[in-house]
């Protein structure tokens, strides 16, 4: 993997996200990932905002940060936010131009669903609304897709059960 920093590849391997361990092919070491827990809709937004604020405080521009939701667009509490962490968001508005291009709001902080963000990358990726009760192949696939979008740093915002599942895999 040439896009993902070494720390993200190490995390993906520790979580067993691929059948065979990945090798970090690039020269970027990256930064330690964050794992934040949410318990309810209010703490979901505050923990997601905290992850974004810590990235901005570390010197990352809002335009270099993508907040990617685990849920689909209709089930997300995050992807429709006009502002997050006090920053205007760039989000898909649900319509297309006549030539088939998506219409987006004008903010700098990108909000996207996990699978719409597949194939794209950002320096910093906050994967939010992570929620699962048991470790499945779908969970592995989603975490792999989300983690490997980050070029420098990743933050995970997970429910208490998902947080436990991730921590158990890392123990």
């Amino acid at each position: 993997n040439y896009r993902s920093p070494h720390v993200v590849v190490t995390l993906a391997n520790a979580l067993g996200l691929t059948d065979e361990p990945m090798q970090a092919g690039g020269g970027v070491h990256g930064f330690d990932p964050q794992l934040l827990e949410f318990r309810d809709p209010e703490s979901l937004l505050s923990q997601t905002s905290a992850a974004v604020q810590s990235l901005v405080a570390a010197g990352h521009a809002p335009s270099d940060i993508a907040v990617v939701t685990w849920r689909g667009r209709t089930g997300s509490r995050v992807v429709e936010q006009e502002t997050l962490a006090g920053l205007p968001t760039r989000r898909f508005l649900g319509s297309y131009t006549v030539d088939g291009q998506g219409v987006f709001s004008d903010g700098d902080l990108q909000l996207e669903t996990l699978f719409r963000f597949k194939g794209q990358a950002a320096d910093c990726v906050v994967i939010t609304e992570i929620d699962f009760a048991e470790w499945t192949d779908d969970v592995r696939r989603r975490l792999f897709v989300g983690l490997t979008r980050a070029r420098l740093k990743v933050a995970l915002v997970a429910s208490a059960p998902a947080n436990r599942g991730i921590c158990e895999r890392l123990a």
Side-chain angles (χ1 to χ4, degrees), residues 35-150:
L35 180 57
L36 300 143
E37 184 176 304
F38 72 89
R39 297 192 180 277
D40 53 43
E42 292 77 30
S43 67
L44 164 68
L45 292 175
S46 67
Q47 292 292 63
T48 303
S49 291
V52 170
Q53 289 166 342
S54 73
L55 293 169
V56 171
H60 300 284
S63 59
D64 293 332
I65 302 168
V67 177
V68 180
T69 178
W70 185 266
R71 298 178 184 263
R73 192 164 176 256
T74 57
S76 174
R77 296 217 2 117
V78 173
V79 80
E80 296 296 325
Q81 296 294 312
E82 292 182 15
T83 62
L84 189 63
L87 301 167
T89 60
R90 181 181 190 278
R91 63 200 185 291
F92 178 61
L93 297 176
S95 61
Y96 297 90
T97 63
V98 270
D99 59 350
Q101 300 297 314
V103 178
F104 291 85
S105 62
D106 289 331
D108 286 329
L109 179 66
Q110 185 172 1
L111 298 183
E112 195 56 88
T113 65
L114 183 68
F115 289 112
R116 273 187 56 89
F117 200 62
K118 189 175 179 180
Q120 299 179 57
D123 286 351
C124 304
V125 174
V126 177
I127 308 167
T128 191
E129 295 184 295
I130 302 171
D131 189 23
F132 58 86
E134 62 184 62
W135 196 264
T136 64
D137 284 338
D138 181 58
V139 168
R140 287 176 58 207
R141 186 177 69 252
R142 286 171 179 249
L143 281 173
F144 176 83
V145 168
L147 289 176
T148 58
R149 305 301 98 203

